[in-house]
Amino acid sequence: MSTIITVTTIMSMYMNLTTNVENSKYCYNADIEDGKVMAMVVYDKDGESLNAKLKRLYTYDEQGRLTMRETLVWNSDKQTWTKNSCLSYNYDTEGYTVEKRLWNETKNDYAMAKSYSRYTILMDNVLAVNNYKYDNDSCSYVLIDKMLMLTDNTGRLMAME
């Protein structure tokens, strides 16, 4: 269970999104290379027309683990995609950390994460999740909540506080 966020996970999410198209408000188009989802565009379904909504770009490491998921939003005035946020995934032997960073147009870079989640593998099928938030007074991250995530043999997650 050393590889947590894999190509298979991303493909599974895509397949789940595209199986009930008739009842969905959205349509999805994935760019897949070598079995990996590299990008996914989400469209609003408005009657017979589709309007671009957002685009997700996926980056993987040499082990096939997800390292970044960037979210871009469609700017209809400029007719272009603009960066909005990203999720960064950092792995180590005990688990992984996910931090959300918002795009800073002034600095033309992602801002420091205001919060992050730490996923630690405790044993087979048990994951500890600790959520941290940046505290401006102490200039450090503080624990705001924690829970255990249990998985059954199918890989579905069940949360327990």
Side-chain angles (χ1 to χ4, degrees):
M1 189 158 166
S2 60
T3 303
I4 306 296
I5 310 292
T6 63
V7 174
T8 306
T9 305
I10 302 300
M11 287 297 291
S12 174
M13 290 181 339
Y14 173 69
M15 296 308 286
N16 287 337
L17 291 172
T18 59
T19 54
N20 192 9
V21 176
E22 292 174 8
N23 296 324
S24 178
K25 181 181 173 189
Y26 305 106
C27 287
Y28 305 88
N29 184 35
D31 176 18
I32 301 171
E33 293 177 16
D34 297 324
K36 295 179 184 172
V37 176
M38 303 306 289
M40 187 176 306
V41 180
V42 179
Y43 297 92
D44 275 328
K45 199 163 87 172
D46 185 20
E48 295 296 315
S49 64
L50 298 176
N51 301 308
K53 181 175 180 64
L54 62 91
K55 182 183 216 179
R56 295 235 164 97
L57 303 175
Y58 299 89
T59 306
Y60 303 89
D61 65 13
E62 63 284 343
Q63 296 177 35
R65 300 176 300 188
L66 182 64
T67 57
M68 182 178 281
R69 186 191 83 184
E70 287 186 279
T71 300
L72 291 73
V73 249
W74 180 250
N75 183 325
S76 57
D77 293 336
K78 296 181 180 179
Q79 294 291 299
T80 187
W81 294 106
T82 57
K83 290 187 178 189
N84 178 271
S85 62
C86 76
L87 293 178
S88 296
Y89 299 80
N90 298 298
Y91 300 88
D92 58 39
T93 56
E94 297 175 351
Y96 61 99
T97 301
V98 180
E99 51 180 39
K100 182 176 183 178
R101 300 168 57 202
L102 300 176
W103 182 253
N104 183 324
E105 278 194 44
T106 306
K107 294 184 178 180
N108 201 31
D109 196 5
Y110 288 105
M112 181 184 91
K114 297 291 183 188
S115 63
Y116 73 91
S117 296
R118 173 71 186 152
Y119 296 78
T120 305
I121 301 165
L122 299 179
M123 62 184 77
D124 284 345
N125 302 332
V126 180
L127 202 59
V129 183
N130 293 329
N131 296 306
Y132 298 86
K133 186 175 182 179
Y134 189 78
D135 178 58
N136 290 324
D137 294 334
S138 67
C139 295
S140 64
Y141 291 94
V142 294
L143 180 67
I144 56 170
D145 66 31
K146 55 186 174 179
M147 69 180 99
L148 290 178
M149 299 293 284
L150 306 175
T151 64
D152 58 18
N153 290 334
T154 65
R156 294 180 296 206
L157 295 176
M158 298 169 278
M160 297 177 64
E161 289 193 45

